[in-house]
Amino acid sequence: MANPYDQAHELARVLKESEEFGKLKELHEVVNSDDVAKRMLDNFRQVQMELQQKQMQGAQISEEEIQNAQKQFELVQQHETISKLMEAEQRMSQVIGDINKIITEPLEELYGAQGEQGEGGQQ
Amino acid sequence: MANPYDQAHELARVLKESEEFGKLKELHEVVNSDDVAKRMLDNFRQVQMELQQKQMQGAQISEEEIQNAQKQFELVQQHETISKLMEAEQRMSQVIGDINKIITEPLEELYGAQGEQGEGGQQ
Ligand SMILES: [Ca+2]
Ligand SMILES: [Ca+2]
């Protein structure tokens, strides 16, 4: 009988061979082999991460920090390969999100039906 | 060619037919058809959710609230079917967590290899 783990490995293999993953991997390699692009992207991610951490900790974020993040974002957006990489990352993240929804659907059904179960419908 | 979405639906089907899901569904139905058990569990979840929300908002949690949560927890633990349901939920959550790790492994590999990529290994 098929088991969820084997099936998950099969899905990982298909995902790895997908067009979305191939594109992401290719762009990732291009950006990482370009020292200027890599530094620009690392910088952007660093700034983003610091802001996210501050937000999670409920810390004050200054006008200057917001403007700096905005500047970094515009910079990477103008870099063709980086912006393509970021688009590919968003698409992959969409695919992973969709997959998670599909996989947890049986659980959603089970918990969504809570209260109906065994009560013979409307009452 | 196999695509990730078809494969995810296949995985969802296998998961739904798995022993872990079957057990969870069965216990879920037993608890939900027992009004006393259902109310006890609903109460426990409500208390848990309120505490979690307070924690996320960084709000103060009183000694009384902790003791109340502890009491509710002991109560549901002593209820055989509820405690079995909670164990089945933990097992299912473990399976889902494992599956997520397996699926995102290609991405972990890609991002874990960041900095190595295109740089000819050690330097
Ligand atoms: Ca490089
Ligand atoms: Ca009932």
Side-chain angles (χ1 to χ4, degrees):
Chain A
M1 205 182 98
N3 84 61
Y5 288 89
D6 292 343
Q7 209 64 39
H9 282 290
E10 186 61 16
L11 172 53
R13 192 188 60 74
V14 168
L15 199 60
K16 204 171 170 175
E17 285 168 7
S18 70
E19 201 189 310
E20 289 91 342
F21 186 79
K23 195 77 197 152
L24 175 62
K25 190 164 188 278
E26 190 193 312
L27 288 163
H28 189 84
E29 280 163 10
V30 173
V31 169
N32 274 285
S33 62
D34 176 339
D35 286 342
V36 174
K38 190 182 182 315
R39 209 174 311 135
M40 201 185 277
L41 184 57
D42 284 349
N43 245 328
F44 172 66
R45 296 220 205 271
Q46 184 68 30
V47 166
Q48 259 199 326
M49 211 173 60
E50 280 170 13
L51 278 190
Q52 271 173 5
Q53 277 173 348
K54 281 201 171 186
Q55 256 174 341
M56 283 193 306
Q57 292 161 354
Q60 201 72 36
I61 293 165
S62 70
E63 188 64 34
E64 201 189 328
E65 284 174 306
I66 293 169
Q67 278 176 5
N68 181 31
Q70 185 64 33
K71 213 185 83 189
Q72 297 280 343
F73 180 67
E74 281 163 17
L75 213 64
V76 293
Q77 283 292 95
Q78 279 160 20
H79 192 290
E80 202 186 338
T81 326
I82 299 181
S83 73
K84 276 186 187 167
L85 172 59
M86 281 168 46
E87 275 169 36
E89 284 174 345
Q90 274 187 337
R91 273 198 299 276
M92 181 51 65
S93 145
Q94 175 74 46
V95 172
I96 297 282
D98 289 344
I99 286 175
N100 276 327
K101 262 187 219 150
I102 293 167
I103 294 168
T104 54
E105 216 175 72
L107 289 170
E108 294 293 328
E109 269 171 45
L110 188 58
Y111 285 87
Q114 195 167 354
E116 302 295 314
Q117 211 76 49
E119 297 196 328
Q122 307 162 355
Q123 24 178 294
Chain B
M1 205 182 99
N3 85 60
Y5 288 87
D6 292 342
Q7 209 63 41
H9 282 290
E10 186 61 16
L11 171 52
R13 193 189 58 76
V14 168
L15 199 61
K16 204 170 170 176
E17 286 169 5
S18 69
E19 201 190 310
E20 289 90 343
F21 186 79
K23 193 79 196 150
L24 175 63
K25 190 163 189 277
E26 190 193 312
L27 287 163
H28 189 84
E29 280 164 11
V30 173
V31 168
N32 274 285
S33 62
D34 176 339
D35 286 342
V36 174
K38 191 184 181 314
R39 209 174 310 135
M40 202 185 276
L41 184 57
D42 284 349
N43 246 327
F44 172 66
R45 296 218 206 271
Q46 183 67 31
V47 166
Q48 258 198 329
M49 210 173 60
E50 280 170 13
L51 278 191
Q52 272 173 7
Q53 276 175 347
K54 281 201 170 186
Q55 256 175 341
M56 284 194 306
Q57 292 162 353
Q60 201 73 37
I61 294 166
S62 69
E63 188 64 34
E64 200 189 329
E65 284 174 305
I66 294 168
Q67 279 176 6
N68 181 29
Q70 185 64 33
K71 213 185 83 189
Q72 298 280 344
F73 181 66
E74 281 163 17
L75 213 65
V76 292
Q77 283 292 97
Q78 280 161 20
H79 191 292
E80 201 185 341
T81 327
I82 298 181
S83 73
K84 275 186 187 168
L85 172 60
M86 281 167 46
E87 274 169 36
E89 284 174 344
Q90 273 187 337
R91 272 199 301 276
M92 181 50 66
S93 146
Q94 175 75 46
V95 171
I96 297 282
D98 289 344
I99 286 175
N100 275 328
K101 264 187 217 147
I102 292 167
I103 294 167
T104 53
E105 217 174 70
L107 289 170
E108 294 293 328
E109 269 171 45
L110 189 59
Y111 285 86
Q114 195 167 354
E116 302 294 316
Q117 211 76 49
E119 296 196 330
Q122 308 162 353
Q123 25 177 295

